[in-house]
Amino acid sequence: MRVVSLDVRDLRSLDRLQIEIGPGITSVVGDNGTGKTNLLEAIYFGLSGRSFRTRDRRELIRFGESVARAELVAQDEGTSHSLLASVSRTEGRRHLLDGEPAPPETIARHRPHLVVFSPDRLVLVKGPPAERRAHIDLFITARWPSRSGLRQDYGQTLAQRNALLRRVSAGLAPEAELEAWDIALAAAATPLIDARAEAAAELAPRFGEAAAELGVEAAELRYAPRSEADPEALREALAECRASDLRRARTSLGPHLDELELTIDGRSMRRYGSQGEQRAGLLALLFAERETLIAAGSPAPLMLLDDVMSELDPAHRELLASRLANGGQSLVSAADEDALPSPAAERLVRMPSGSAATLKAVA
C-alpha cells in the first residue's frame, strides 16, 4: 500500500501544493522555511486526520484563511482510495474516505501505517511513559488489526471504575459496586498486557540491532508491566488496593501505568542518554517496527523522516538510506541536497521559495 498523490490547500505556510509521490524514497529538499516539514505534516494529516506536531488542529490553518485541507490518493493492489482531512475555524474537522465520513478504524484499513521521525518526536524517548504506551498500542493495531480495540476497551473500563471510585468516595454509591468493575477491568487489562508483551518481544532484537548500526551499543527495549496478565490475580490485587484507590479517587494498578523501557547498558535512555543517543534510539525503534511488520507479512509503513540527515555522518546516512531502500515508501526532508546518499537522491521534490506551487516528484 502506498500514497501516489497529495493535494494541499492553506495548510500552515502552504498555499496550494500538489505532488505525485513515487514508490521507494522521495526526498523533499529546500532551504529552511520553505515548508518541508509542513509537507510531511500534510501527508500525516490527510491520512490520519491528526497532526504529529500539535494537538490543536486549528494551528494547521494558514494565517488569514479559514480552512486547511489535505487530500491524498492511496493505492493497494490496484485499488485506489481518496482520503481527505480538513479543519475549519468555525466548523471543526472532517476526515473522509472516498468522499464519505468514516470511523478511524475503517480509514486505517485503507491507508498505510504511519511512522514519523522529527525533532518533536524525541518526546517518545525523552517524555513520560504515556507517550511510549500510546506508541506501542498503535504498533499493536498495525501488527494485529484484530487487536485494535484493546486500548479503547481498557480505557473505557478504567474511566468507569475511576468514576465509581469518585462516587463511592463522595458517599454517592456503595463500595460493593466496585467488585464488578474490578472484574471487568482485570478482564480488559489482560489481553492488552499480553499484546504489549508480545509486541515488545518481537521489537526487542531488531531494536538492539538497529541501534548498534547507528552507533549505540548495548541498547535494549523491554516491556515493564505493573501488573500480572492474569484476570484473577489482577482482580485480587485491585481489591487489595481498593482503600488507597478510594483515597486517591483513581485506579493505582493496571496497564495504564506500564512502561516501555529503552535502555543503554541497563541505564534509562530517557534520563541518561545523550541527545545523539536519544535520536538514534528513536530511529532504532521506528526501524524495528518497520522490519517487524515487513517480516510478519504486513504492509510496510509509510516513513516520514523530517530533518533526519542533519546530525548523521556520511556513513550513517548511507546506512539509513540502505534501510529505507529495502522495501516500503519513505519521504525524507533535507536542506542540503548534496548531502543525500545516492538511494535518497533519485526521486526529489524541490520546495520553491514561495508558498504556492504545483510540484511533481522527479524520478
Side-chain angles (χ1 to χ4, degrees):
M1 184 181 299
R2 71 179 183 90
V3 174
V4 298
S5 66
L6 168 69
D7 185 342
V8 184
R9 300 185 186 186
D10 297 323
L11 191 146
R12 293 204 187 264
S13 67
L14 304 175
D15 176 5
R16 176 70 186 274
L17 184 143
Q18 294 176 307
I19 60 171
E20 295 177 4
I21 306 174
I25 307 171
T26 298
S27 293
V28 182
V29 298
D31 294 336
N32 292 332
T34 54
K36 300 185 298 296
T37 302
N38 297 341
L39 188 153
L40 299 186
E41 185 180 24
I43 293 173
Y44 189 93
F45 177 56
L47 292 173
S48 71
R50 304 186 304 275
S51 165
F52 62 79
R53 300 165 73 188
T54 178
R55 295 183 183 275
D56 186 353
R57 295 173 180 87
R58 291 172 298 180
E59 293 181 11
L60 275 66
I61 302 173
R62 188 166 178 253
F63 182 75
E65 302 297 331
S66 59
V67 180
R69 55 175 281 166
E71 183 172 9
L72 299 100
V73 174
Q75 286 185 348
D76 184 19
E77 298 181 350
T79 302
S80 295
H81 294 280
S82 67
L83 298 100
L84 184 147
S86 65
V87 58
S88 166
R89 298 191 190 279
T90 57
E91 299 178 5
R93 62 185 179 90
R94 294 190 306 161
H95 201 195
L96 307 180
L97 174 65
D98 295 327
E100 298 292 336
E105 58 270 21
T106 299
I107 291 177
R109 290 196 294 268
H110 296 90
R111 65 164 175 84
H113 179 59
L114 294 163
V115 171
V116 179
F117 176 93
S118 74
D120 293 339
R121 290 288 287 165
L122 278 175
V123 69
L124 189 56
V125 177
K126 300 167 62 174
E131 299 284 346
R132 289 176 288 281
R133 287 194 297 268
H135 189 79
I136 197 169
D137 290 344
L138 284 174
F139 171 75
I140 288 168
T141 296
R143 176 67 178 87
W144 301 286
S146 63
R147 300 181 180 182
S148 61
L150 294 181
R151 179 183 175 90
Q152 182 178 7
D153 290 345
Y154 177 77
Q156 290 174 344
T157 308
L158 176 65
Q160 293 285 350
R161 186 178 190 270
N162 284 342
L164 181 56
L165 285 170
R166 291 191 292 270
R167 291 199 301 272
V168 173
S169 297
L172 300 176
E175 183 178 331
E177 289 187 11
L178 283 166
E179 180 64 28
W181 284 106
D182 288 354
I183 296 171
L185 191 71
T190 299
L192 180 59
I193 296 170
D194 285 339
R196 287 176 176 175
E198 189 174 351
E202 288 195 354
L203 291 171
R206 293 183 174 93
F207 173 79
E209 177 187 343
E213 287 184 357
L214 292 167
V216 180
E217 301 292 339
E220 296 183 346
L221 177 153
R222 186 177 73 90
Y223 176 50
R226 292 278 296 273
S227 53
E228 295 184 53
D230 177 83
E232 184 58 26
L234 182 51
R235 184 197 65 77
E236 292 177 358
L238 287 167
E240 292 175 3
C241 295
R242 186 176 296 172
S244 62
D245 285 358
L246 285 167
R247 286 194 301 271
R248 298 183 177 93
R250 66 178 184 274
T251 301
S252 59
L253 189 67
H256 60 289
L257 299 172
D258 293 350
E259 170 67 291
L260 183 69
E261 295 180 345
L262 306 179
T263 62
I264 305 173
D265 284 325
R267 293 162 60 87
S268 168
M269 189 177 293
R270 172 192 177 190
R271 294 183 178 180
Y272 302 107
S274 67
Q275 182 84 353
E277 288 171 334
Q278 290 170 344
R279 286 174 65 92
L282 175 57
L283 275 173
L285 176 59
L286 301 182
F287 276 113
E289 293 177 11
R290 180 178 183 271
E291 298 303 323
T292 298
L293 289 172
I294 292 174
S298 300
L302 172 60
M303 307 282 287
L304 302 175
L305 306 179
D306 185 33
D307 194 30
V308 70
M309 299 290 184
S310 62
E311 294 189 25
L312 296 177
D313 58 40
H316 285 112
R317 290 175 188 167
E318 291 285 351
L319 174 64
L320 177 71
S322 66
R323 274 187 170 268
L324 292 175
N326 185 28
Q329 189 178 26
S330 308
L331 283 94
V332 181
S333 73
D336 185 1
E337 182 178 337
D338 294 334
L340 291 172
S342 55
E346 294 177 1
R347 184 175 291 107
L348 303 177
V349 171
R350 292 185 174 89
M351 299 298 293
S353 56
S355 60
T358 299
L359 302 176
K360 193 170 184 177
V362 179

